[in-house]
């Protein structure tokens, strides 16, 4: 029920009525704390008028310099100001986290606050108490999340398995893990505390209580009740214990499944004569292992070789080797899926997919199936055309070798796609062909300029306090709204580093939340060793006082990428490939959702919305990364200041999207597989039948390999070799169970919004009118408004507002076009 949500944050349109201002001294203290704290490309690459203030112009230059110049960054980030105050600064300005020992103190102090909050909720007996219960439960959830989410980030930051950690690294990760476990165990206790459920249920049964709630409070209460239902809290004790035990076993199996995502064989060898065409770079790397007339391939080299080796028999063996796992990995997966089906059945749902999708935009597995089928029909012709081009290349090769024509096989796709790419102009074949126009600083500058034009937001560099960041290369940016002032903090950890996890990510360290006057009054009398009331309420992390005198904790975000760290010696700034620019835009789209979606309740803040809406802002941002009018804001050669040539951009984009339809087909297969695995077929002796199987087949043993090949046969243009059991490498089955379709779904919606909203009018993608519409109809709501209502509002299409199977099918009919 009070689980920590691993996504990002949203904003709410509904503001509280203005109330009387607090005592002037409190407001002053808060302010003091914050102070610490498909058109022609060439025709649209035009200059845009800069309406920013002189101060904004200085920030605009600084944001480029802090990322592009190490010398400037070191001067900018030099300590200054009151040294007595600076000694108290901890990680993220959290006053507890001045060293590794602080994680325990942070967790213990927060745990004590949480226990008091639980006692308060359990003892509610008055009408006013029940009117406050939604906010009280949200405050409790915030207390848990502020420890769990922050510590989870620290654990991930120090978790690269390929790097040996230092003693200090081990201590910090262990301290964060200990705090995480402490709070997570308490959260599990709360999830079995029927008193919280009983109190909320009682409140929902009182009409005068529900009528008094804002929309945010109603939605938060509904979310919490659904979470209680999913945790089977109202089951008899024996069934409840079975549910809890099965849930724990699912987590264990899931972790083991993810830890064993590797092929059964990790090494293969072939005679050197069979390896003609092997990529020269790979051949050079393999030289020490090539002896006695044999080439030995290990790990990722197996997949890489399959893209370049001419011999088709070798390619087939490489393909199968890379897509076959050990039997025990399949056993883990099947046991995990069966247990998920069991807990869904215990909770009264037909399947795990039904249980999971009830609070998503899709609502049901049947709706997801409608979407996938419609998308498949829309995409099929384009995919067949792409495969036809590859088949022509294969037939040409066979004709030259005097062999008969043959079909295109699964192990041919990557090989001939690679051959096809070599026909592109040399400047666009390489991933770094545009990098001279994309220094990291200019890209960040461009993002700030784009946000300013669309949403009235600027990214403003701030020197970090000593101990505020976890590495000297981490930059702090404050997000400034032209009307509301300081609205968020973003920590940018963008360079490759030792223990750092290499996967790009957006972490919400703390969500937006309104801190009530009641909380303030309670804290004023018991702030302990904290400097002031605001610090006691926020742990010293970012907060703000609104124009109406209300106190809000601010969204605090960590943006993680794995860009190559420059040497800085020749003054060449860090340069990004086109793919890396897209990655940065994508992750900043998540961040945008977090710092625009500032709701008064953290359960619906920012990216804490339906899973199948959460990727929409980030996917939409990828479109901006290819728009000429957006690139005109920043894309210039780092040394000559020459603008990016339109023709080079156009050719590069075409190359990157050349096999888009076949890639979409692969994603459709995976999304459909995810649905089938989480259907009633996973139940013992299931009598359920669907378009996938008859009742008799459904009663057969649950065989994930057979189901995998059935799904491939239905949706894929090219069959899989019978030896493949690739599902054992599909790690997202654990983390995204029954929701893998969401990425395709959001890509389809993003493409529609891009076309209908951001490509209309003279200004195109930098239109403030289009940005305002997207902000007002979707971004600012976070999870406090139905996703279909948000999408319908942005597109101006009320037919979508009710959602359902027809709306899902319609989105599929739009197709996916990047």
């Amino acid at each position: 029920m009070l689980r920590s949500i691993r996504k990002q944050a949203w904003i709410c349109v509904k503001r509280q009525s203005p109330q009387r201002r607090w005592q002037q001294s409190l407001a002053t203290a808060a302010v003091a704390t914050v102070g610490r704290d498909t058109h022609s490309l060439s025709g649209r690459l035009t200059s845009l008028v800069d309406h920013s203030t002189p101060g904004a112009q200085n920030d605009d230059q600084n944001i480029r310099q802090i990322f592009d110049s190490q010398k400037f960054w070191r001067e900018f980030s030099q300590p200054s100001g009151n040294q007595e105050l600076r000694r108290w600064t901890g990680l993220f300005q959290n006053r507890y986290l001045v060293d590794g020992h602080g994680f325990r103190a942070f967790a213990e102090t927060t745990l004590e606050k949480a226990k008091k909050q639980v006692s308060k909720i359990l003892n509610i007996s008055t009408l006013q108490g029940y009117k406050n219960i939604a906010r009280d439960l949200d405050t409790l959830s915030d207390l848990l999340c502020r420890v769990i989410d922050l510590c989870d980030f620290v654990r991930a930051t120090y978790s690269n398995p390929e790097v040996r950690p230092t003693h200090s690294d081990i201590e910090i990760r262990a301290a964060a893990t200990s705090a995480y476990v402490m709070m997570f165990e308490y959260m599990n206790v709360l999830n079995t505390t029927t008193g919280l459920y009983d109190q909320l249920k009682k409140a929902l049964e009182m009409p005068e209580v529900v009528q008094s709630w804002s929309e945010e409070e109603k939605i938060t209460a509904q979310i919490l009740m659904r979470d209680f239902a999913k945790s089977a809290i109202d089951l008899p004790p024996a069934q409840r214990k079975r549910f809890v035990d099965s849930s724990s076993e699912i987590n264990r199996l899931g972790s083991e499944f993810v830890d064993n995502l590797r092929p059964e064989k990790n090494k293969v060898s072939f005679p050197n004569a069979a390896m003609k065409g092997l990529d020269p770079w790979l051949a050079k790397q393999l030289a020490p292992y090539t002896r006695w007339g044999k080439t030995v391939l290990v790990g990722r080299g197996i997949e890489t070789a399959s893209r370049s080796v001419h011999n088709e028999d070798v390619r087939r063996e490489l393909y199968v080797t890379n897509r076959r796992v050990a039997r025990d990995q399949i056993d883990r997966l099947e046991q995990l899926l069966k247990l998920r089906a069991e807990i869904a059945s215990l909770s009264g749902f037909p399947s795990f997919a039904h249980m999971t999708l009830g609070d998503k935009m899709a609502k049901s597995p049947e709706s997801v199936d409608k979407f996938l089928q419609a998308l498949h029909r829309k995409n099929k012709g384009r995919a067949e055309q792409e495969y036809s081009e590859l088949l022509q290349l294969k037939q040409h090769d066979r004709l030259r070798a005097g062999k008969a024509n043959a079909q295109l096989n699964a192990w041919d796709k990557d090989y001939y796609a690679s051959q096809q790419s070599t026909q592109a102009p040399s400047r666009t074949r390489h991933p770094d062909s545009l990098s001279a126009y994309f220094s990291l600083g200019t890209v960040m500058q461009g993002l700030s300029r784009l946000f300013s034009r669309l949403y009235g937001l600027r990214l403003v560099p701030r020197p970090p306090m000593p101990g505020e960041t976890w590495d000297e290369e981490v930059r702090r940016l404050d997000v400034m709204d032209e009307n509301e002032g300081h609205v968020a903090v973003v920590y940018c950890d963008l360079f490759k580093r030792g223990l750092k996890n290499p996967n790009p990510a957006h972490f919400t360290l703390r969500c937006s939340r309104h801190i009530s006057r009641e909380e303030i009054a309670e804290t004023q009398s018991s702030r302990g060793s904290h400097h002031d009331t605001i610090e006691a309420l926020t742990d010293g992390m970012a907060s703000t006082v609104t124009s109406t005198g209300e106190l809000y904790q601010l969204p605090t975000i960590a943006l993680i990428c794995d860009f190559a760290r420059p040497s800085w010696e020749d003054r060449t700034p860090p340069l990004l490939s086109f793919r890396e620019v897209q990655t940065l835009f994508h992750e900043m789209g998540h961040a945008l959702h977090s710092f625009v979606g500032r709701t008064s309740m953290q359960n619906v803040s920012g990216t804490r919305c339906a899973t199948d809406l959460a990727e929409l802002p980030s996917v939409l941002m990828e479109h901006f990364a290819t728009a000429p009018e957006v690139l005109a804001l920043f894309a210039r050669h780092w040394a000559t200041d020459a603008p990016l040539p339109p023709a080079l951009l156009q050719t590069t984009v075409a190359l990157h999207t050349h096999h888009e339809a076949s890639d979409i087909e692969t994603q459709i297969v995976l999304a459909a597989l995810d649905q089938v695995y989480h259907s009633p077929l996973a139940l013992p002796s299931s009598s359920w039948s669907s378009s996938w199987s008859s009742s008799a087949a459904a009663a057969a043993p649950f065989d994930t390999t057979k189901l995998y090949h059935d799904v491939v046969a239905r949706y894929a243009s090219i069959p899989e070799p019978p030896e493949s059991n690739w599902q054992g490498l599909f790690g997202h089955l654990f983390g995204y169970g029954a929701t893998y379709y969401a990425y395709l779904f959001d890509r389809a919606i993003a493409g529609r919004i891009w076309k209908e909203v951001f490509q209309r009018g003279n200004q195109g993608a930098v239109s403030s009118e289009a940005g305002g519409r997207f902000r007002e109809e979707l971004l600012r709501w976070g999870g406090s408004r139905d996703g279909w209502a948000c999408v319908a509002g942005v597109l101006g299409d009320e037919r979508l507002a009710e959602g359902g199977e027809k709306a899902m099918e319609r989105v599929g009919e739009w197709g996916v076009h990047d």
Side-chain angles (χ1 to χ4, degrees):
M1 182 283 280
L2 293 165
R3 70 192 187 283
S4 177
I5 307 173
R6 290 286 187 273
K7 281 290 180 184
Q8 298 80 24
W10 273 206
I11 180 172
C12 159
V13 67
K14 197 170 183 68
R15 284 287 180 188
Q16 300 248 326
S17 322
Q19 302 177 35
R20 66 179 180 84
R21 292 182 178 274
W22 313 341
Q23 300 93 326
Q24 186 62 38
S25 59
L26 179 58
T28 303
V31 173
T33 303
V34 173
R36 295 199 303 267
D37 297 314
T38 58
H39 293 281
S40 166
L41 292 171
S42 57
R44 291 164 64 194
L45 277 171
T46 57
S47 300
L48 296 171
V49 178
D50 188 349
H51 296 290
S52 57
T53 63
Q57 290 176 352
N58 187 56
D59 294 333
D60 182 70
Q61 292 302 312
N62 285 348
I63 195 170
R64 176 176 179 175
Q65 291 283 62
I66 66 166
F67 288 101
D68 277 359
S69 169
Q70 180 76 337
K71 180 176 182 294
F72 183 90
W73 166 242
R74 287 180 174 170
E75 292 174 353
F76 182 85
S77 59
Q78 283 299 309
S80 61
N82 189 313
Q83 296 303 311
E84 182 66 25
L85 175 63
R86 298 181 69 83
R87 285 201 294 269
W88 288 93
T89 302
L91 194 63
F92 313 113
Q93 291 198 15
N94 184 308
R95 58 95 59 198
Y96 294 100
L97 305 183
V98 293
D99 55 34
H101 300 293
F103 284 96
R104 183 174 185 84
F106 179 38
E108 289 177 342
T109 302
T110 306
L111 183 59
E112 188 63 30
K113 292 178 182 179
K115 289 178 177 179
K116 289 180 180 178
Q117 188 73 3
V118 170
S119 177
K120 174 184 176 181
I121 295 168
L122 293 177
N123 287 296
I124 290 175
S125 59
T126 66
L127 178 62
Q128 187 58 48
Y130 285 110
K131 288 182 178 180
N132 293 338
I133 193 170
R135 290 193 175 274
D136 287 340
L137 284 168
D138 186 71
T139 300
L140 175 59
S141 181
D142 179 63
L143 289 168
L144 300 175
C145 289
R146 62 171 57 181
V147 175
I148 291 174
D149 291 347
L150 189 151
C151 291
D152 194 37
F153 165 74
V154 173
R155 293 162 73 222
T157 305
Y158 290 84
S159 65
N160 189 337
E162 298 181 2
V163 177
R164 182 183 295 277
T166 66
H167 181 69
S168 176
D169 292 333
I170 293 173
E171 284 187 342
I172 292 173
R173 191 174 193 278
T177 299
S178 178
Y180 175 93
V181 170
M182 182 191 304
M183 197 60 68
F184 202 87
E185 288 178 347
Y186 181 64
M187 182 177 67
N188 287 335
V189 171
L190 294 182
N191 287 340
T192 62
T193 304
T194 57
L196 295 174
Y197 167 72
D198 293 338
Q199 289 286 65
L200 180 58
K201 184 178 179 182
K202 186 180 295 185
L204 285 165
E205 292 170 349
M206 301 169 69
E208 60 269 49
V209 168
V210 177
Q211 290 170 8
S212 73
W213 284 345
S214 67
E215 286 302 311
E216 276 192 47
E217 290 171 308
K218 291 176 184 176
I219 290 175
T220 297
Q222 292 165 5
I223 289 171
L224 296 175
M225 281 301 288
R226 281 196 298 262
D227 288 344
F228 272 129
K230 289 179 181 179
S231 63
I233 199 165
D234 55 347
L235 288 178
Q239 289 177 285
R240 172 66 185 164
K241 183 178 186 305
R242 185 176 166 192
F243 181 98
V244 172
D245 291 345
S246 294
S247 297
S248 297
E249 183 65 4
I250 287 169
N251 287 330
R252 185 190 69 80
L253 285 168
S255 296
E256 286 188 6
F257 179 71
V258 172
D259 288 343
N260 287 276
L261 295 175
R262 52 181 172 268
E264 184 175 24
K265 290 172 61 179
N266 191 45
K267 180 190 294 186
V268 290
S269 63
F270 299 93
N272 291 344
M275 300 301 289
K276 290 180 180 179
L278 183 65
D279 181 274
W281 179 87
L282 179 59
K284 183 178 180 180
Q285 301 300 310
L286 294 173
Y289 311 100
T290 302
R291 57 188 66 179
W292 299 298
K294 285 187 175 293
T295 298
V296 179
L297 296 169
V298 180
R300 293 180 182 177
I302 296 174
E303 181 180 2
T304 304
S306 69
R307 300 192 186 107
S308 59
V309 173
H310 297 329
N311 189 306
E312 184 173 355
D313 292 334
V314 171
R315 292 203 308 274
R316 186 190 192 283
E317 185 172 343
L318 292 172
Y319 184 86
V320 170
T321 299
N322 218 39
R323 297 177 74 85
R324 182 163 185 82
V325 301
R327 180 64 227 182
D328 59 354
Q329 177 72 338
I330 300 300
D331 290 341
R332 287 187 196 97
L333 173 61
E334 292 180 352
Q335 189 177 354
L336 182 155
L337 295 171
K338 289 175 182 178
L339 285 172
R340 280 181 166 172
E342 178 186 347
I343 65 171
S345 180
L346 284 170
S347 300
F349 294 94
S351 71
F352 185 79
H354 286 88
M355 181 173 80
T356 300
L357 296 173
D359 58 353
K360 310 298 186 290
M361 290 178 69
K363 294 293 188 280
S364 71
E366 294 75 18
S367 290
V368 176
D369 190 46
K370 289 285 188 182
F371 163 70
L372 292 175
Q373 288 191 49
L375 181 59
H376 175 59
R377 291 192 298 269
K378 180 72 173 181
N379 187 68
K380 187 175 178 61
R382 294 173 59 216
E384 288 176 346
Q385 176 59 39
E386 291 177 7
Y387 286 129
S388 176
E389 294 174 3
L390 300 181
L391 179 58
Q392 289 177 24
L393 292 175
K394 180 175 182 178
Q395 290 175 343
H396 180 70
D397 280 355
R398 293 182 69 84
L399 181 63
R400 286 193 306 173
K403 298 180 180 179
N405 286 340
Q407 68 180 15
L408 191 72
N409 295 307
W411 49 90
D412 294 325
K413 178 189 171 183
D414 287 347
Y415 171 75
Y416 284 106
S418 177
Q419 296 295 307
Q420 197 174 47
S421 70
T422 62
Q423 299 173 8
S426 61
R427 290 185 68 194
T428 58
R429 285 204 303 267
H430 305 291
D432 61 348
S433 59
L434 298 181
S435 62
Y437 299 91
F438 294 137
S439 76
L440 177 56
T442 58
V443 176
M444 293 299 295
Q445 186 182 55
L447 283 163
S448 183
R449 290 173 175 178
L450 176 63
F451 289 165
S452 177
R453 284 162 173 77
L454 292 178
Y455 310 117
L457 300 169
R458 291 186 296 115
L459 305 178
V460 178
R462 290 283 185 261
M465 301 286 281
E468 182 179 353
T469 63
W470 53 100
D471 187 83
E472 63 180 9
E473 293 289 3
V474 175
R475 274 68 162 165
R476 169 178 169 157
L477 303 176
D478 284 358
V479 184
M480 307 300 293
D481 184 285
E482 62 186 7
N483 296 315
E484 301 175 44
H486 189 199
V487 295
V489 175
V490 183
Y491 292 97
C492 298
D493 186 359
L494 305 181
F495 296 125
K496 187 187 301 289
R497 180 182 66 255
L499 267 186
K500 178 183 169 184
N501 192 303
N503 299 314
H506 158 277
F507 289 85
T508 301
L509 305 173
R510 185 158 296 187
C511 287
S512 167
R513 186 176 72 88
H514 173 235
I515 299 175
S516 70
R517 298 166 190 273
E518 180 185 12
E519 284 183 76
I520 294 165
E522 291 174 353
T523 305
Q524 280 180 312
S525 60
S526 59
R527 73 186 195 197
S529 61
H530 292 277
H531 290 118
D532 53 47
T533 302
I534 305 298
E535 183 183 89
L537 287 161
T538 64
D539 309 312
M541 293 177 66
S543 63
T544 193
V545 177
T546 68
S547 59
T548 58
E550 301 295 334
L551 177 63
Y552 275 73
Q553 62 187 37
L554 292 182
T556 301
I557 309 303
L559 202 65
I560 308 299
C561 289
D562 196 46
F563 303 147
R565 186 189 293 261
S567 66
W568 303 111
E569 293 176 0
D570 60 358
R571 297 188 179 181
T572 302
L575 302 176
L576 306 185
S577 69
F578 183 62
R579 285 292 190 198
E580 289 174 329
V581 172
Q582 290 181 305
T583 296
L584 186 54
F585 268 65
H586 179 98
E587 298 304 334
M588 192 59 84
H590 283 308
L592 173 69
H593 204 175
S594 292
F595 50 70
V596 174
R598 297 184 314 282
T599 53
S600 66
M601 303 184 76
Q602 73 92 30
N603 264 289
V604 291
S605 172
T607 54
R608 299 195 171 185
C609 59
T611 304
D612 45 9
L613 184 68
E615 289 290 333
L616 177 55
S618 56
V619 173
L620 181 63
M621 277 297 294
E622 293 181 35
H623 288 274
F624 286 95
T626 63
E629 61 270 37
V630 174
L631 294 171
L633 297 175
F634 67 94
R636 307 186 78 83
H637 196 284
W638 73 271
T640 67
D641 203 39
L644 175 65
L648 179 58
L649 170 67
Q650 191 172 36
T651 305
T652 302
V653 171
L655 182 65
H656 278 262
T657 59
H658 190 74
H659 299 103
E660 178 184 67
S662 55
D663 290 340
I664 291 169
E665 182 180 273
T666 299
Q667 292 301 307
I668 292 172
V669 168
L670 300 184
L673 186 67
D674 178 41
Q675 291 298 305
V676 172
Y677 283 171
H678 292 98
S679 73
L681 289 174
L683 288 167
S685 303
S686 172
S687 61
W688 179 76
S689 64
S690 72
S691 57
W692 290 103
S693 60
S694 65
S695 297
F702 184 56
D703 185 343
T704 58
T705 301
K706 181 181 183 304
L707 288 172
Y708 170 57
H709 286 277
D710 288 346
V711 173
V712 170
R714 177 171 182 175
Y715 283 114
S717 302
I718 304 175
E720 274 281 272
E723 305 97 312
S724 173
N725 58 1
W726 181 87
Q727 75 272 18
L729 297 170
F730 189 9
H732 289 307
L733 285 171
F734 177 52
Y736 290 84
T739 62
Y740 191 79
Y741 73 92
Y743 186 62
L744 279 174
F745 181 67
D746 283 344
R747 285 179 70 187
I749 296 174
R752 190 72 170 187
I753 291 174
W754 178 252
K755 177 182 177 182
E756 298 296 329
V757 178
F758 286 98
Q759 292 296 281
R760 301 282 187 180
N762 296 329
Q763 288 187 302
V766 293
S767 164
S768 59
E769 180 181 354
R773 185 171 171 181
F774 188 61
R775 175 173 180 156
E776 290 303 306
E777 294 290 348
L778 192 144
L779 289 175
R780 76 184 187 95
W781 292 90
S784 67
R785 187 190 194 194
D786 179 76
W788 286 111
C790 291
V791 172
V794 175
L795 291 172
D797 188 348
E798 286 305 313
R799 293 174 297 176
L800 296 169
E802 296 302 317
E805 291 185 16
K806 288 186 177 180
M808 291 289 292
E809 185 173 27
R810 188 167 178 224
V811 172
E813 290 170 349
W814 292 341
V816 172
H817 303 281
D818 289 341

